[in-house]
Amino acid sequence: MLSSGEKRWLEEQFDLAEGVPSHLDEEEQKYWNALSDRWNHALLNLYERIAQQDK
């Protein structure tokens, strides 16, 4: 299980990343994927709200 410090570091790296780092272990990769899923969901919601306002 990742510590809160490890999660915080991954979150910071996610915010700065230009792609998925190649050096992540399996647990870190799972957390990275969860961050990516949350980001994609947030973007989708934002785009849906914009589309609704444009109607």
Side-chain angles (χ1 to χ4, degrees):
M1 178 175 240
L2 296 174
S3 70
S4 59
E6 290 169 318
K7 287 180 179 180
R8 190 171 33 256
W9 180 83
L10 282 169
E11 291 163 3
E12 290 170 1
Q13 295 305 304
F14 185 84
D15 291 340
L16 301 172
E18 295 179 10
V20 180
S22 60
H23 64 280
L24 300 178
D25 65 24
E26 184 177 341
E27 210 171 334
E28 292 170 332
Q29 184 65 54
K30 285 181 183 179
Y31 191 69
W32 188 274
N33 292 343
L35 292 172
S36 182
D37 289 345
R38 287 192 338 222
W39 176 254
N40 290 334
H41 184 72
L43 281 178
L44 178 62
N45 285 339
L46 179 61
Y47 290 144
E48 287 175 347
R49 288 180 189 163
I50 291 169
Q52 290 295 324
Q53 290 179 0
D54 287 344
K55 287 184 178 181

